[in-house]
Amino acid sequence: GTERDPSPDRLDGTLLDAVCARALGGARGAVFTPPAEARILAAFGLARVAERRGGPPAAEGLALLLAGRPEPALAAALDGARVLDPACGAGALLAAAERLARAIGARLRLSGLDLAPLAVRAARARLALLSARGEIRRGDGLAARWPAADLVLANPPFLRHEALPAREKVAAARASGLSRQADLSAHFAAVAIRRSPVAALVWPCALDVSRSAERLVADARARGGFVLRL
């Protein structure tokens, strides 16, 4: 089946996501993004990317993406844009981005990383069901090399630093430049804003007040700031 033409009697991405959420939800901080939230986060990120690539202003692009009708100018700006989710789970955010882009006439280049083999298999199957152009690899998002991206679109793992083994704390701090007392989501966010001109992230409120994330917030502001916070 396909999420572009949902049917309750066919295997589709929604069911793949549910299987992974049941099996992996909470493991190593895994949080699965519901469809409505995935769609709105992907739309905001894609609208900013389109504006940077010569498309309409982001507010206009957002409205057009959510309307879901063919839009040649917006499609031309988004076509071939590279979207990366470094902790992709079953691919909900990548699939949401692909559906939004396809509706206005664009095709994206999608990439994903995840540590869990089940998630990798589910995300690959989900993109295949959508006939999307993408590559999903198994890997630790803080250790693996990230593909180049115009947009990092992610709901990073929510794992407090106390739950990280000492060796992983050292590796995460080395990747992000933050202290070992930073939570896992902060390490992912720090890498994301350095690796892509646009990052659309689920952002824990705790990062706004955590001393261990002060460098992250300062770096984000120095690189253009928070365009929108919801």
Side-chain angles (χ1 to χ4, degrees):
T2 169
E3 290 154 86
R4 299 178 66 206
D5 181 22
S7 175
D9 61 352
R10 291 199 297 259
L11 177 67
D12 63 11
T14 304
L15 182 55
L16 291 169
D17 194 73
V19 169
C20 282
R22 177 68 65 89
L24 302 173
R28 293 187 57 83
V31 179
F32 286 76
T33 315
E37 286 83 350
R39 183 171 184 265
I40 197 70
L41 188 63
F44 273 108
L46 291 174
R48 295 293 301 181
V49 170
E51 182 180 58
R52 290 180 58 89
R53 289 162 59 100
E60 180 182 341
L62 174 65
L64 294 173
L65 282 162
L66 293 176
R69 296 187 297 269
E71 294 288 346
L74 181 59
L78 275 181
D79 200 53
R82 300 164 299 181
V83 180
L84 167 67
D85 186 342
C88 67
L93 287 165
L94 294 174
E98 176 67 16
R99 292 196 306 271
L100 287 163
R102 193 85 63 89
I104 57 103
R107 296 295 299 273
L108 303 173
R109 293 162 57 192
L110 306 173
S111 300
L113 294 167
D114 204 277
L115 197 58
L118 175 63
V120 171
R121 291 178 61 194
R124 285 174 178 167
R126 191 169 196 170
L127 296 191
L129 289 172
L130 288 168
S131 300
R133 296 182 293 188
E135 179 182 9
I136 309 295
R137 293 189 288 114
R138 185 186 178 196
D140 181 343
L142 292 178
R145 181 170 180 168
W146 289 18
D150 301 292
L151 169 65
V152 170
L153 177 64
N155 186 351
F158 286 69
L159 199 62
R160 290 188 57 79
H161 71 90
E162 296 93 340
L164 289 171
R167 181 182 299 177
E168 292 185 25
K169 282 187 181 183
V170 172
R174 186 182 300 119
S176 70
L178 302 180
S179 77
R180 299 181 194 180
Q181 282 67 49
D183 293 343
L184 192 57
S185 57
H187 292 298
F188 268 88
V191 177
I193 64 175
R194 292 201 306 266
R195 297 292 179 90
S196 176
V198 180
L201 307 172
V202 176
W203 181 274
C205 293
L207 297 188
D208 293 332
V209 296
S210 170
R211 291 184 61 186
S212 63
E214 286 177 352
R215 181 174 177 180
L216 163 63
V217 175
D219 197 16
R221 288 175 177 152
R223 294 171 184 271
F226 297 92
V227 176
L228 180 70
R229 307 285 296 277
L230 292 178

